[in-house]
Amino acid sequence: MAYLYFLSKIMKHYLLSFFVIALVACQEKSQPKAEKEQALSASNFETYKADFVEDLWKLDPIRASYEGYHLYDYALPMPNQEQKEAYLAFADEYLKRLEDFELEALAETNQIDYHLIRNYLKSQNFYWNEFERETWDPAAYNLGGAFFQVLNYREKELEKRLDDLAKKLEKVPAYYAQAKQNLNRPTKVHTGLAIQQMKGSKSIFQENLIDSLEASSHNTVFKEAFAQKVNQAIAAIDDYVVFLEDLRSNLDSNTAKSFRIGPEQFEKKFSYEIQSAYTSQEIFQAAVEAKSDLHDKMYALSEELWPKYFGEAEKPGSRLAQIKMVIDQVSLKHVSRDSFITAIRQQIPQLEAFVRENDLLTLDPEKPLVVRETPEYMRGFAGASISAPGPYDQDAETYYNVTPLDAYTAEEAESYLREYNHYTLQVLNIHEAIPGHYTQLVYSNQSPSLIKSILGNGAMIEGWAVYAERMMLEAGYGDGMEMGLMYYKWNLRTVCNTILDYGVHVNNFTKADAMQLLMKEAFQEKSEAEGKWRRARLSQVQLCSYFTGFYEIMQLREEVKALQGEAFDLKSFHEKFLSYGSAPVKYIRQLMLTELKEKQAEHQKPLSSSAS
Ligand code: ZN
Ligand code: ZN
């Protein structure tokens, strides 16, 4: 079936291109100028994008290393006034050059790249002149990862990497001297995080760098000089930690900056990072409504499930308490700690089969997902994640990393397994793998775009994975009401992430407000809720991405349904949606709706005119 589908898709593609060529040939005489202009514009835009990326990597060599671009591994820019001016000048120059292009004249995929680049450039003014993280977040100066990314790039020979690292190391003392100067009013919670992280990332210098030095064939002179640079870097880090500890002990409500960024900055950051068609306040409102709707649905299920788990026992009299009691019972069904990975491995083909049988999406049969134990160096906490090759390494495998529960005590493992019980584990696999993140990735790789992999939209990526859960359940996936109840609990987490994020930064939520929301209204364990409270104070806006993307995809689907009526086809909707890559949903919406309306207008034309 899949093979036939692919064949027909390829055929259609050829027919279509043939048709276009014929059309162009016909029109050559009538519109030669416009055609040429468009071609010129397209090739210029490719040059523009290439220049943009190249200059971005020069400005931000650390980000380049993370993305797999290793030409500037030796560099460590100083976080000073000059750097700020360089970013602002870069933004100015590239915004000006962007004016040369007419958006409408660009191909669809370039139109999205245009929007992404423009958004990035416009955001620079906000970050450097208003948000000013460099003045209040000491954790912005953690260099552990920057060194690790260079050291771990095994495509380059070790000696060359060490040459790069030697140059980078030299700058570390000046880097931290500048950092100390920049920080004038840090927040307490970020200062605490920085102290904790800096102590951890010291081991990259003390252990990883020194170990690899021993393995290299550099001569003794180099090795001694290198070791000395490492020691100087470590001394600078130690000094920075002492500085931060000092700072922290003197921070009180007058000297510390609040971790709340407030309504104005929150809305701006939301608009640059989420790129939604809605304001953050509208999304917050939608989340509050979604929460109440989920509670209604969960209560109805708990009513139905009550006799099965509690027989004739009396109900607690409160809706939320009753839901919680049923959830606790349902959560007892889970795999054993030793079969956690096996269970996930077995579920992937079942999810694939369900997607095929229900005609939800075409899955590329040539790219099966590899489930593996998370490599040691990536473990820090238990969990599951997709690790995809970066934009400069497209051919590498995509893995579904699952961390075994080896490091857990019996009690911790039991708690973790109840959280990822028989039902929730399936929703997790839908989210991370099929048809969630992994499937979205396969589709976005079909039209590779460097810009979209660097500046891709997190709300669309997370939104798709959250949408995939809902869509699978709608299609009838899962066994019974328990699956529904546990799915709603899972979805509630996404909804409450948004409420918490906006609540903390805009509505002045206290810790008690947060605990009430997460433990009482979202049925989370204390440890999970406390972790989330910390994350909501350390980050801003990111926790909104899951629900916002989900909400906008659901809205778009309804719009397309309304437009197409009987002709609406879920599978075509999904494939069309994913074909645009990791773009903000609002731009996908524009392009999709425009195309649909054009198609409908064509159909309504009288036959005679289309036959001419
Ligand atoms: Zn158990
Ligand atoms: Zn996700």
Side-chain angles (χ1 to χ4, degrees):
M1 267 312 271
Y3 174 72
L4 270 181
Y5 178 80
F6 263 82
L7 196 68
S8 78
K9 207 168 152 187
I10 290 167
M11 289 291 285
K12 246 190 240 161
H13 179 75
Y14 272 108
L15 283 175
L16 216 68
S17 348
F18 176 76
F19 187 68
V20 171
I21 291 165
L23 210 73
V24 168
C26 275
Q27 291 179 341
E28 195 102 302
K29 273 175 196 156
S30 60
Q31 298 181 306
K33 210 178 152 207
E35 288 286 332
K36 263 187 213 153
E37 263 171 21
Q38 194 164 351
L40 193 68
S41 173
S43 79
N44 284 349
F45 195 65
E46 293 307 320
T47 310
Y48 173 87
K49 287 197 290 186
D51 290 352
F52 168 83
V53 172
E54 181 61 27
D55 281 345
L56 180 63
W57 294 156
K58 279 182 198 155
L59 269 177
D60 196 348
I62 291 177
R63 186 165 177 190
S65 314
Y66 271 98
E67 295 282 359
Y69 187 84
H70 292 277
L71 204 60
Y72 305 117
D73 277 357
Y74 60 87
L76 180 61
M78 286 300 109
N80 54 17
Q81 182 66 20
E82 237 168 83
Q83 185 190 40
K84 171 179 169 175
E85 280 160 16
Y87 268 96
L88 293 173
F90 167 74
D92 267 357
E93 182 198 336
Y94 277 90
L95 275 172
K96 224 163 260 150
R97 277 180 65 183
L98 203 55
E99 286 169 13
D100 292 347
F101 302 101
E102 202 185 320
L103 182 63
E104 304 288 306
L106 298 171
E108 283 189 343
T109 176
N110 275 338
Q111 289 189 23
I112 292 172
D113 286 357
Y114 176 106
H115 287 301
L116 292 173
I117 292 174
R118 187 163 180 277
N119 179 71
Y120 173 81
L121 295 170
K122 293 212 130 191
S123 73
Q124 293 308 307
N125 188 41
F126 167 72
Y127 288 117
W128 291 102
N129 288 322
E130 284 181 62
F131 195 59
E132 296 186 305
R133 180 185 174 205
E134 66 280 3
T135 67
W136 55 261
D137 181 4
Y141 303 101
N142 179 3
L143 288 176
F147 279 83
F148 187 77
Q149 288 300 325
V150 175
L151 184 65
N152 212 31
Y153 179 57
R154 285 156 210 276
E155 303 281 300
K156 211 187 258 188
E157 66 177 52
L158 177 61
E159 286 67 31
K160 184 76 191 63
R161 276 179 272 152
L162 290 172
D163 290 345
D164 286 343
L165 288 164
K167 288 185 187 148
K168 222 179 180 76
L169 276 168
E170 267 168 27
K171 308 254 177 64
V172 173
Y175 182 91
Y176 282 106
Q178 184 66 50
K180 281 156 67 177
Q181 254 184 35
N182 294 354
L183 291 164
N184 58 34
R185 212 172 153 233
T187 79
K188 234 176 177 167
V189 63
H190 290 90
T191 308
L193 174 73
I195 291 168
Q196 184 195 339
Q197 282 188 342
M198 296 301 297
K199 284 179 177 167
S201 69
K202 236 171 79 174
S203 70
I204 289 172
F205 296 84
Q206 263 163 342
E207 289 157 32
N208 303 51
L209 286 187
I210 295 298
D211 288 353
S212 56
L213 185 63
E214 276 158 23
S216 91
S217 61
H218 272 307
N219 62 30
T220 326
V221 178
F222 178 92
K223 287 184 181 179
E224 277 172 8
F226 191 93
Q228 204 191 340
K229 284 174 193 151
V230 170
N231 286 335
Q232 282 163 355
I234 291 171
I237 292 171
D238 284 338
D239 174 67
Y240 183 59
V241 172
V242 170
F243 166 82
L244 293 179
E245 278 168 343
D246 240 32
L247 201 61
R248 180 167 63 172
S249 62
N250 291 319
L251 284 177
D252 55 41
S253 51
N254 292 319
T255 51
K257 181 181 153 51
S258 166
F259 55 81
R260 307 180 200 280
I261 66 172
E264 197 186 328
Q265 285 201 3
F266 192 87
E267 177 52 32
K268 283 187 186 170
K269 198 164 191 268
F270 182 87
S271 79
Y272 288 124
E273 287 177 18
I274 307 288
Q275 301 180 68
S276 166
Y278 300 92
T279 64
S280 57
Q281 197 185 3
E282 287 167 334
I283 289 298
F284 171 74
Q285 214 46 57
V288 170
E289 279 159 33
K291 182 183 76 176
S292 143
D293 180 47
L294 285 170
H295 282 164
D296 291 346
K297 290 186 166 120
M298 293 172 89
Y299 178 66
L301 285 172
S302 79
E303 284 281 289
E304 302 250 13
L305 286 166
W306 185 268
K308 178 171 171 187
Y309 291 94
F310 295 97
E312 303 282 295
E314 204 185 319
K315 291 172 184 165
S318 128
R319 285 190 355 145
L320 292 178
Q322 179 178 320
I323 296 169
K324 169 85 169 123
M325 284 174 76
V326 179
I327 284 176
D328 285 348
Q329 286 301 308
V330 174
S331 302
L332 295 178
K333 185 172 173 184
H334 61 73
V335 299
S336 69
R337 65 185 289 170
D338 302 326
S339 53
F340 192 61
I341 293 182
T342 319
I344 290 179
R345 205 168 267 141
Q346 284 168 351
Q347 242 165 54
I348 302 303
Q350 291 165 7
L351 291 172
E352 287 172 337
F354 185 88
V355 169
R356 287 212 177 87
E357 281 157 18
N358 290 276
D359 227 16
L360 300 174
L361 259 167
T362 304
L363 299 172
D364 188 342
E366 280 174 23
K367 288 175 184 149
L369 177 60
V370 186
V371 182
R372 68 169 179 187
E373 290 194 5
T374 312
E376 289 289 346
Y377 75 93
M378 288 172 71
R379 293 185 194 179
F381 45 92
S385 66
I386 291 288
S387 87
Y392 294 99
D393 191 17
Q394 296 276 2
D395 294 332
E397 292 266 19
T398 299
Y399 294 100
Y400 187 9
N401 301 314
V402 183
T403 307
L405 309 182
D406 305 349
Y408 280 12
T409 64
E411 202 185 330
E412 285 167 344
E414 175 63 21
S415 153
Y416 186 80
L417 290 165
R418 283 185 190 177
E419 184 64 34
Y420 293 96
N421 55 63
H422 173 74
Y423 306 98
T424 313
L425 191 57
Q426 299 177 58
V427 187
L428 174 74
N429 289 328
I430 291 171
H431 179 101
E432 295 293 339
I434 291 164
H437 287 316
Y438 173 67
T439 302
Q440 191 262 326
L441 203 73
V442 172
Y443 270 85
S444 76
N445 284 344
Q446 282 170 0
S447 52
S449 151
L450 188 53
I451 296 298
K452 286 183 199 79
S453 45
I454 300 168
L455 303 177
N457 183 254
M460 181 273 177
I461 293 169
E462 285 307 337
W464 171 263
V466 176
Y467 168 76
E469 302 157 8
R470 171 69 56 95
M471 178 261 283
M472 288 288 275
L473 274 274
E474 284 173 345
Y477 181 83
D479 33 4
M481 291 185 282
E482 281 91 344
M483 188 70 191
L485 183 67
M486 297 315 281
Y487 161 70
Y488 289 135
K489 182 196 170 205
W490 178 277
N491 192 242
L492 197 54
R493 175 153 79 180
T494 299
V495 168
C496 288
N497 279 346
T498 292
I499 298 177
L500 180 70
D501 197 1
Y502 192 87
V504 162
H505 290 286
V506 180
N507 290 349
N508 293 318
F509 271 26
T510 60
K511 184 174 181 185
D513 296 332
M515 291 298 130
Q516 163 71 25
L517 174 74
L518 300 175
M519 291 177 68
K520 289 280 172 332
E521 297 189 84
F523 315 105
Q524 295 178 7
E525 293 301 320
K526 191 162 185 247
S527 60
E528 193 190 354
E530 283 185 334
K532 200 52 74 65
W533 162 244
R534 180 173 155 81
R535 184 171 156 195
R537 287 176 298 153
L538 286 168
S539 70
Q540 319 81 18
V541 167
Q542 199 273 335
L543 281 171
C544 289
S545 59
Y546 310 84
F547 177 72
T548 311
F550 166 66
Y551 181 73
E552 292 198 79
I553 296 171
M554 291 295 282
Q555 298 273 319
L556 174 59
R557 191 179 74 178
E558 293 318 302
E559 260 185 291
V560 172
K561 258 186 198 167
L563 247 166
Q564 290 190 307
E566 296 268 288
F568 178 82
D569 174 61
L570 191 60
K571 185 182 192 180
S572 315
F573 170 77
H574 293 152
E575 292 178 357
K576 184 77 192 164
F577 178 82
L578 291 178
S579 73
Y580 295 98
S582 309
V585 180
K586 68 173 171 185
Y587 298 129
I588 296 179
R589 175 179 175 273
Q590 266 176 19
L591 294 171
M592 250 177 121
L593 293 183
T594 306
E595 189 178 316
L596 262 176
K597 283 172 187 160
E598 274 169 9
K599 260 193 198 149
Q600 287 186 340
E602 258 168 53
H603 276 291
Q604 282 153 9
K605 268 187 210 160
L607 265 176
S608 58
S609 74
S610 61
S612 63

